[in-house]
């Protein structure tokens, strides 16, 4: 069993041939083609075409349709060569993190 699988929360769907997708900056300044290798409720594993070096990956969109109507807001979880792990950001997560930060201060 791989170490990464021990940290996973939720069941994963693995795509035999991968699912073509795109990564795009929140402000639209960059875009990369990628293949979604697997996905769960909380995140996904992507194989990225081209370098991710220099890209702002703290927060970005994973576009799942050519029209951009199906997408997820993501943040980088890990990098291993041309593969990255992303965590999906849910609408309420930022509010919870902001409340937690002010409570701890």
């Amino acid at each position: 069993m791989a170490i990464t699988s021990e940290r996973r929360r939720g069941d994963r769907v693995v795509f035999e041939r991968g699912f073509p997708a795109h990564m795009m900056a929140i402000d639209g300044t960059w875009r990369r083609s990628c293949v979604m290798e697997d996905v769960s409720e909380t995140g996904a594993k992507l194989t990225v075409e081209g370098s991710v070096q220099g890209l702002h990956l703290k927060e970005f969109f994973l576009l799942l349709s050519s029209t951009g109507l199906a997408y997820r807001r993501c943040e980088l979880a890990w990098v291993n060569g041309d593969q990255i792990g992303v965590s999906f950001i849910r609408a309420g997560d930022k509010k919870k993190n902001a409340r937690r930060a002010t409570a701890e201060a």
Side-chain angles (χ1 to χ4, degrees), residues 54-73:
L55 300 181
H56 181 67
L57 295 174
K58 175 63 183 153
E59 205 170 306
F60 60 94
F61 290 116
L62 177 61
L63 306 175
L64 302 170
S65 70
S66 58
T67 60
L69 294 176
Y71 65 90
R72 293 299 303 259
R73 200 171 186 132

Side-chain angles (χ1 to χ4, degrees), residues 11-49:
D11 295 329
R12 294 216 161 232
V13 175
V14 177
F15 300 103
E16 192 173 314
R17 294 191 179 108
F19 183 88
H22 286 90
M23 300 164 50
M24 187 178 78
I26 297 292
D27 61 3
T29 55
W30 60 263
R31 185 176 173 130
R32 287 286 183 284
S33 294
C34 63
V35 175
M36 188 165 43
E37 304 293 344
D38 67 37
V39 66
S40 74
E41 186 178 329
T42 58
K45 178 169 70 171
L46 309 174
T47 299
V48 182
E49 294 179 20

